[in-house]
Amino acid sequence: MGVPVGTNVPDEDIYNNKFLDLCKGLNLDKNAASRAWETYLAVKENYSLDGDPSHWLACAIYVACRNVTEHTVGDSETLIEGNLVSLTRLLRLCNISLIHFIGKSKKWADMINMPPELRRKIDKLEKNFAVSMVIFKKFQPIFAAMFNNTKDEQTKTRCSKKQKVTCSASKLFEFCWTLFVVAKSEFPDLSENLVNSYHLLLACCDYVYTNILIADLRDLLNKSFGGLPHDFESTSYVLRSKPICIIDYLCQQYDGITTDAKVIKEYFWKTNLKKLIERKVLKGDSELNLLLDVVNFDFNYKAINKRYEQYVLSVGEFDERIFLSENANIEIGASNECTTEDLAKEMKNKKNYLFNQQTPLTGRNHLKPKIDLSDESTPVKNASEMVFKIQSILADCSPYPSDKLYTLLKSCSATLQSEIENVINMLGIKFCSQYCQVDHNSALHNDFAEKRLVMAKTWFYKLFENIIAKEAKNPKYDIKNLICHAVFHETLFACCLEMVIFAYNSQRVFPWVLNALQIHPYHFYKVIEVIVRVEDKLPRDMIKHLNRVEEQVLDSLSWQSESPLWDLINRNNKLIPHYDEIALVSVAGGAVPVSNFNHKVENNRFAHKDSPVSDRFISPAPGQPNIKMGKQISVNENRQYFSVTSKNNGVSLPTVTGPLKKIGTLGLFFRKFYNLASVRMQDLCYQLSINDEDLMRKIWTCFEHVIIEHTDMMRDRHLDQILMCTIYIICRVVNLNLSFQAIMKCYRTQPQSASHIYRSVLITPRNPSQEHTENEGARQDTEQRIDLIKFYNTIFVQIVRDNALKYSTNSSNDNLTLSPLPATKTQLQSPTTRRVNDRLPIFIRKLEAQASPIKSPIRPLSYCINQSPKKDLENINMITMRAIAKKRNITDAHLDGPIAKQKTPSPPVITKRLQGLLEERMEHNTDK
């Protein structure tokens, strides 16, 4: 796991000098301490724990405490998590920052094979921190605009607990933030949602501002704030006795969504504040005011901090008041030169930054060039803009069929519209039920669920009408073949819900919607590309998300044991097609000989526009028949579909109503699956410097052999696991010196990579009888998982060895045929800058990239294809030739005498010349 440090500290010294002090400082009970120490020793025996032992002890203690859940004394319904150990205090005693601890805890989770439930708690900790960090960054400028600056009071000493706290600007800043985090802690679902948390902050600022006006603390107000009453500076100003609302102004100035902010204020903020006042936690009147009154502020300031301290201890979360600390940078883990205001930029540089996900490899051809490259782009702004974008798309649309669509449905069947509405209403009920199950405040979530549902219904009917209209343009297509499929309506509606939930940055991440609606992911992929192509106004991040979802369905979710895919494979006699058999442009003769070196299957991405959308849904889901119509559709899964008309005296002979060559849903799935596998494989080969196309075709042919002949290898496993094993075994048989660690290192650079892919591989598939077991924990106990290298040695190589040896360089099989390699544009579409050669500082990148990530003390010389003058390329070639000239091969032509010395300009001349050319090119690019 890590590289051993130079000194080996004995376990006894760690136990006596570090661990016991930690237990004493945290007041840790004996059971938790014993579990933590035993786990630490067990991990240390199997892994090298680099760095400070205290950091790993912090992980062990945290896990040991989070495994304890107890009831409070006298209250059987209140649970205490975290064993009453403050995470913030734990990190301070272990001298580890929060960001560093989160990274360590993820490694610790892999080393101890942490249960999924505990992994989710760590992920939740990271997500909550990321949300709070972004919210605090937004809070600072909002507060500075509304109230006087707090910097002049930073040097003041802290008041003791016995001293009375007065409402100064700095204390108001602390009180406002603490009041916000207390309200956020009362609604766990809200705390994990960036957009909702931001609107809760706006409600808090609105409330504090109103109370400042009522308390007449005008010295704390910023006179230049645009939300002040119009007569505030006049002598006729009358003191406000009732609260005013500035939500509209705050949303307009700070990228908020007015309707959502007002819902948060009414149903969440006021409800929580009323509860705190009724329980005497805070002092205020029946109208929820007077919190900041001179008489009440001291009590409320101390009470709200005490309330939050109790919460932190009861749940084991980090203290969000850490942002108010003078040592915030050190405790959070930001750079020394980084101020609190720049914490979002610090996290943005992290690989796992939760609000800046990478573009999937297969989805880049759908994206338009990015326009907004300014530093003003923030997670909150992006999320708000996405919601505004959706609202603009759905403008003038209704959550029911338009007159045009209604007429079309009625022409197909008199009951078709009601049957579609029944399907949508049933799914809507399931959605609302699951959406409100997060906590005990389901009534508060019901309003949100209804709003999301209405937006999804509106989007559903809009997309439905657009898809049907596009299908109807081709007279060869019978739109009834698409309208009659219930799976189409279910997946289209599910995708609409998924897009709405994603736009609001909800923690209900995919495949939550499918689980809530009881739709299997295998059917979901069929509708994604249809939506992306029919709705050309989708935001970039939405398209990236949908492509990421599609990849997730193809690489793993569809291969789960309970997937309908296995039923289709069995019905097809377990015959899996080769890629060239289902490619958009097929190749005569199938596989080709080795001698045909550079043959590829060209994947024309426009060809499939000529096929009807109904091809994706020609087979109904098991147990889900088509929507009833006057004409039934009989499906031949293998190659074609027929129209069958019922008669009183029997059934007529089938007549072909569509093209004869239909690959069916199974073929469509494997077409996309093979394309995804090819893109990822060729990207890995490119990073591993495997440029020999013959070798790449051997890898691809071996991979196809595994999928076709040993399909069960994919059951409950991941595509990337099989790809990495295939690359390694072929490199072994052709004597290419390539380690498994090098393959995994390159794999980690791909957007979809995750550590659990190579750290936790299923070795014993679950029995079918266990698939519907209600006890999820019992199912986990029956599984055995190992890391990818052990999986390769114990399972993969035993099954694939005989086939892989056929591709050996020592093999005498001259008639060996290799599958054609699908053509991809992975290298050209890669967003990263790539180095041409390890010896030369020459890089290539996409033209759309405006800012090069290559850092250089001098301005680099660039050449734009089809734009730059020829002399720029000649100068780059000059640098290349000068670097190569340092090493020369001795050939027969050089044996007769010394090699003539190449004349080159002196280095200072070249440097001056290149610098002048570079400045000229930069000015030329700027003028454009």
Side-chain angles (χ1 to χ4, degrees):
M1 184 56 60
V3 180
V5 292
T7 58
N8 186 17
V9 182
D11 293 339
E12 293 184 1
D13 293 343
I14 297 176
Y15 182 82
N16 295 325
N17 299 332
K18 294 180 180 294
F19 185 72
L20 290 181
D21 291 341
L22 286 176
C23 295
K24 184 178 180 181
L26 297 170
N27 194 23
L28 198 63
D29 65 275
K30 293 183 179 180
N31 293 332
S34 177
R35 287 194 305 271
W37 181 249
E38 290 174 359
T39 305
Y40 173 79
L41 292 180
V43 171
K44 192 176 182 182
E45 289 182 1
N46 300 319
Y47 299 93
S48 281
L49 300 179
D50 59 313
D52 191 342
S54 298
H55 298 171
W56 298 111
L57 288 174
C59 297
I61 293 175
Y62 176 77
V63 173
C65 292
R66 288 309 298 258
N67 274 326
V68 176
T69 302
E70 297 179 349
H71 295 276
T72 56
V73 177
D75 187 358
S76 59
E77 295 183 357
T78 304
L79 296 178
I80 295 180
E81 301 181 35
N83 204 22
L84 293 178
V85 172
S86 169
L87 174 59
T88 305
R89 180 166 178 78
L90 171 64
L91 300 185
R92 287 173 179 169
L93 291 176
C94 295
N95 195 25
I96 180 175
S97 66
L98 180 59
I99 293 177
H100 192 194
F101 170 77
I102 291 175
K104 289 277 188 181
S105 62
K106 289 187 174 182
K107 295 180 181 179
W108 188 261
D110 293 330
M111 289 187 286
I112 67 173
N113 195 19
M114 186 180 292
E117 180 62 29
L118 204 51
R119 286 180 184 268
R120 283 193 288 269
K121 290 181 179 179
I122 295 178
D123 292 338
K124 181 181 177 181
L125 172 67
E126 181 182 21
K127 181 67 175 181
N128 285 345
F129 167 66
V131 170
S132 299
M133 179 194 60
V134 174
I135 295 298
F136 186 77
K137 180 177 174 61
K138 296 288 291 186
F139 171 62
Q140 289 175 300
I142 294 175
F143 187 89
M146 298 175 64
F147 306 102
N148 283 330
N149 202 333
T150 61
K151 292 183 179 179
D152 57 341
E153 303 181 19
Q154 294 296 327
T155 57
K156 289 187 177 182
T157 57
R158 277 186 171 272
C159 299
S160 66
K161 293 184 178 180
K162 294 183 179 180
Q163 288 179 308
K164 190 172 183 178
V165 180
T166 58
C167 188
S168 61
S170 61
K171 295 301 178 184
L172 182 64
F173 183 77
E174 296 176 10
F175 178 80
C176 187
W177 177 254
T178 308
L179 188 64
F180 161 72
V181 295
V182 167
K184 190 161 70 77
S185 67
E186 295 292 332
F187 308 102
D189 181 53
L190 219 63
S191 64
E192 300 171 6
N193 187 300
L194 177 62
V195 177
N196 288 343
S197 294
Y198 179 60
H199 290 145
L200 186 68
L201 174 72
L202 295 183
C204 178
C205 293
D206 168 79
Y207 176 80
V208 171
Y209 169 81
T210 295
N211 270 259
I212 288 292
L213 287 178
I214 294 176
D216 197 22
L217 300 174
R218 60 179 62 202
D219 292 339
L220 296 177
L221 294 172
N222 188 346
K223 302 301 187 296
S224 61
F225 178 59
L228 289 173
H230 61 88
D231 58 343
F232 184 76
E233 295 291 341
S234 66
T235 56
S236 61
Y237 172 74
V238 179
L239 186 65
R240 297 293 192 272
S241 59
K242 293 184 179 181
I244 64 175
C245 179
I246 59 170
I247 288 291
D248 293 311
Y249 178 82
L250 292 176
C251 290
Q252 181 182 1
Q253 295 295 319
Y254 300 103
D255 305 315
I257 304 172
T258 305
T259 55
D260 286 16
K262 289 183 177 179
V263 170
I264 292 286
K265 176 183 177 181
E266 188 67 28
Y267 291 102
F268 291 84
W269 177 261
K270 287 186 176 180
T271 300
N272 178 64
L273 201 61
K274 183 178 181 180
K275 181 181 68 174
L276 294 177
I277 293 177
E278 289 177 350
R279 295 182 179 180
K280 309 298 182 182
V281 176
L282 297 176
K283 286 185 178 180
D285 60 8
S286 59
E287 299 295 328
L288 310 182
N289 299 320
L290 303 181
L291 253 68
L292 303 180
D293 192 75
V294 177
V295 180
N296 298 333
F297 182 77
D298 173 66
F299 175 85
N300 290 333
Y301 178 86
K302 295 177 180 178
I304 201 68
N305 279 279
K306 181 180 179 181
R307 172 84 174 187
Y308 187 67
E309 288 172 0
Q310 293 174 347
Y311 164 78
V312 171
L313 287 176
S314 65
V315 298
E317 292 286 353
F318 80 101
D319 193 334
E320 296 184 39
R321 295 174 301 176
I322 192 174
F323 297 103
L324 303 173
S325 171
E326 296 178 356
N327 300 322
N329 293 341
I330 299 175
E331 295 190 52
I332 292 173
S335 305
N336 293 331
E337 67 275 8
C338 181
T339 62
T340 307
E341 298 177 355
D342 296 326
L343 289 178
K345 293 183 180 180
E346 184 73 18
M347 281 296 288
K348 189 174 183 179
N349 295 328
K350 301 293 180 181
K351 180 182 178 183
N352 293 327
Y353 185 56
L354 299 177
F355 304 119
N356 188 26
Q357 300 187 22
Q358 296 175 280
T359 305
L361 290 176
T362 59
R364 289 166 184 162
N365 59 322
H366 298 295
L367 293 178
K368 299 177 182 179
K370 189 173 183 179
I371 298 177
D372 185 11
L373 297 174
S374 64
D375 294 335
E376 297 179 359
S377 178
T378 63
V380 171
K381 181 180 179 181
N382 292 340
S384 301
E385 287 182 350
M386 190 180 301
V387 176
F388 291 142
K389 185 73 172 179
I390 293 176
Q391 291 175 347
S392 65
I393 293 175
L394 301 180
D396 302 326
C397 298
S398 304
Y400 46 81
S402 65
D403 295 339
K404 183 179 178 181
L405 182 59
Y406 174 79
T407 304
L408 176 63
L409 295 177
K410 191 173 182 180
S411 65
C412 296
S413 174
T415 61
L416 183 57
Q417 180 186 350
S418 61
E419 291 179 4
I420 294 176
E421 290 179 352
N422 290 337
V423 171
I424 302 306
N425 291 335
M426 178 189 65
L427 296 177
I429 293 173
K430 291 182 179 179
F431 168 75
C432 292
S433 175
Q434 294 297 319
Y435 194 95
C436 300
Q437 266 188 358
V438 178
D439 54 32
H440 299 293
N441 299 302
S442 58
L444 298 176
H445 292 278
N446 190 56
D447 188 76
F448 278 122
E450 291 294 337
K451 289 182 179 295
R452 308 292 187 264
L453 183 60
V454 170
M455 186 177 291
K457 285 184 177 181
T458 306
W459 211 338
F460 167 80
Y461 284 111
K462 181 181 185 299
L463 290 174
F464 183 28
E465 184 173 351
N466 291 345
I467 293 171
I468 296 300
K470 188 175 182 180
E471 287 282 284
K473 289 181 180 180
N474 195 323
K476 296 186 297 184
Y477 301 157
D478 186 0
I479 59 174
K480 297 178 182 179
N481 294 331
L482 179 63
I483 296 177
C484 68
H485 284 282
V487 176
F488 167 70
H489 300 290
E490 291 176 357
T491 54
L492 179 61
F493 181 69
C495 195
C496 293
L497 280 173
E498 175 63 27
M499 290 189 292
V500 171
I501 289 177
F502 173 75
Y504 281 92
N505 204 272
S506 174
Q507 275 300 285
R508 298 168 178 85
V509 296
F510 185 81
W512 180 88
V513 165
L514 301 186
N515 294 333
L517 303 184
Q518 299 176 348
I519 298 174
H520 198 277
Y522 169 75
H523 302 296
F524 190 68
Y525 87 93
K526 304 173 185 178
V527 79
I528 293 177
E529 187 176 356
V530 178
I531 292 176
V532 172
R533 294 193 177 278
V534 79
E535 184 56 78
D536 56 355
K537 296 181 181 180
L538 287 177
R540 282 175 54 89
D541 288 342
M542 184 69 74
I543 297 176
K544 289 165 64 173
H545 173 68
L546 291 178
N547 279 284
R548 192 179 304 114
V549 165
E550 184 182 71
E551 288 193 6
Q552 190 176 348
V553 171
L554 295 171
D555 63 24
S556 57
L557 295 180
S558 290
W559 297 97
Q560 295 172 347
S561 294
E562 65 273 15
S563 172
L565 175 63
W566 297 106
D567 181 59
L568 289 177
I569 291 175
N570 292 332
R571 286 162 52 187
N572 202 44
N573 298 322
K574 297 186 178 181
L575 297 177
I576 307 298
H578 288 269
Y579 177 75
D580 59 334
E581 297 174 352
I582 55 176
L584 294 172
V585 179
S586 60
V587 180
V592 293
V594 178
S595 59
N596 191 354
F597 179 75
N598 53 5
H599 183 79
K600 291 186 178 182
V601 175
E602 295 295 335
N603 195 345
N604 184 1
R605 65 189 180 97
F606 298 104
H608 64 286
K609 289 185 178 181
D610 295 329
S611 60
V613 176
S614 57
D615 280 3
R616 301 166 182 260
F617 302 93
I618 61 176
S619 179
Q624 292 187 354
N626 299 338
I627 295 177
K628 295 180 181 181
M629 294 181 59
K631 180 186 293 184
Q632 295 182 348
I633 302 298
S634 176
V635 178
N636 182 338
E637 178 61 32
N638 294 328
R639 294 296 178 189
Q640 50 190 326
Y641 59 87
F642 304 98
S643 174
V644 182
T645 305
S646 299
K647 294 184 179 180
N648 294 332
N649 56 353
V651 179
S652 66
L653 292 175
T655 58
V656 179
T657 61
L660 283 176
K661 188 174 181 180
K662 296 290 180 181
I663 62 174
T665 56
L666 189 64
L668 287 169
F669 171 82
F670 276 99
R671 176 190 291 171
K672 279 188 169 291
F673 173 76
Y674 280 137
N675 179 65
L676 174 63
S678 174
V679 168
R680 293 184 181 178
M681 185 206 76
Q682 295 189 53
D683 182 77
L684 283 176
C685 290
Y686 184 76
Q687 294 189 62
L688 293 167
S689 299
I690 300 177
N691 301 319
D692 185 356
E693 192 163 348
D694 186 41
L695 177 55
M696 294 173 65
R697 286 174 57 205
K698 289 180 178 180
I699 295 172
W700 179 252
T701 306
C702 183
F703 171 76
E704 274 194 332
H705 170 80
V706 174
I707 299 300
I708 294 171
E709 301 297 333
H710 307 286
T711 315
D712 279 344
M713 189 86 74
M714 282 293 301
R715 189 183 294 271
D716 293 317
R717 295 195 180 101
H718 199 283
L719 164 64
D720 296 342
Q721 297 167 349
I722 307 301
L723 273 180
M724 286 188 279
C725 290
T726 305
I727 293 175
Y728 181 73
I729 196 172
I730 296 299
C731 291
R732 286 291 303 271
V733 300
V734 300
N735 299 322
L736 179 62
N737 187 17
L738 187 65
S739 66
F740 221 124
Q741 285 76 12
I743 296 174
M744 291 189 290
K745 181 179 180 181
C746 292
Y747 166 72
R748 285 193 289 268
T749 64
Q750 292 190 338
Q752 82 287 349
S753 64
S755 62
H756 69 86
I757 300 299
Y758 51 84
R759 296 189 189 278
S760 178
V761 187
L762 189 67
I763 187 174
T764 55
R766 299 192 296 263
N767 296 326
S769 59
Q770 295 173 336
E771 291 307 314
H772 303 287
T773 304
E774 295 183 0
N775 190 344
E776 185 70 20
R779 182 195 293 183
Q780 292 290 340
D781 294 339
T782 62
E783 295 181 358
Q784 295 182 17
R785 293 184 174 270
I786 53 178
D787 62 61
L788 186 59
I789 296 179
K790 291 180 180 178
F791 166 77
Y792 171 86
N793 291 326
T794 57
I795 294 180
F796 187 87
V797 73
Q798 307 298 330
I799 298 175
V800 187
R801 178 194 291 113
D802 293 340
N803 179 264
L805 290 175
K806 297 178 182 179
Y807 312 111
S808 172
T809 53
N810 301 324
S811 176
S812 59
N813 189 358
D814 297 331
N815 296 323
L816 179 66
T817 57
L818 299 179
S819 299
L821 190 66
T824 63
K825 298 181 181 180
T826 306
Q827 298 176 14
L828 297 178
Q829 293 185 352
S830 176
T832 58
T833 300
R834 297 188 183 276
R835 190 164 183 161
V836 176
N837 191 293
D838 292 337
R839 297 180 291 105
L840 304 175
I842 299 178
F843 304 84
I844 58 174
R845 62 178 171 84
K846 291 178 59 178
L847 182 62
E848 288 84 359
Q850 299 298 323
S852 173
I854 305 303
K855 304 300 180 183
S856 175
I858 63 174
R859 300 172 72 183
L861 178 64
S862 62
Y863 175 79
C864 253
I865 297 177
N866 295 332
Q867 292 187 15
S868 300
K870 180 180 177 181
K871 58 182 180 179
D872 287 0
L873 184 59
E874 291 176 348
N875 283 282
I876 294 177
N877 289 335
M878 186 188 302
I879 297 175
T880 305
M881 295 181 66
R882 286 186 65 248
I884 296 176
K886 294 179 180 180
K887 291 186 179 181
R888 296 183 291 270
N889 294 328
I890 298 178
T891 62
D892 294 338
H894 301 147
L895 294 178
D896 296 334
I899 302 173
K901 186 175 181 180
Q902 183 180 2
K903 294 183 179 181
T904 58
S906 60
V909 175
I910 293 178
T911 303
K912 185 176 180 180
R913 181 180 178 186
L914 294 181
Q915 185 67 23
L917 290 171
L918 175 61
E919 292 177 358
E920 180 184 349
R921 283 296 301 133
M922 291 298 180
E923 294 176 0
H924 176 69
N925 292 334
T926 304
D927 295 338
K928 288 185 177 182

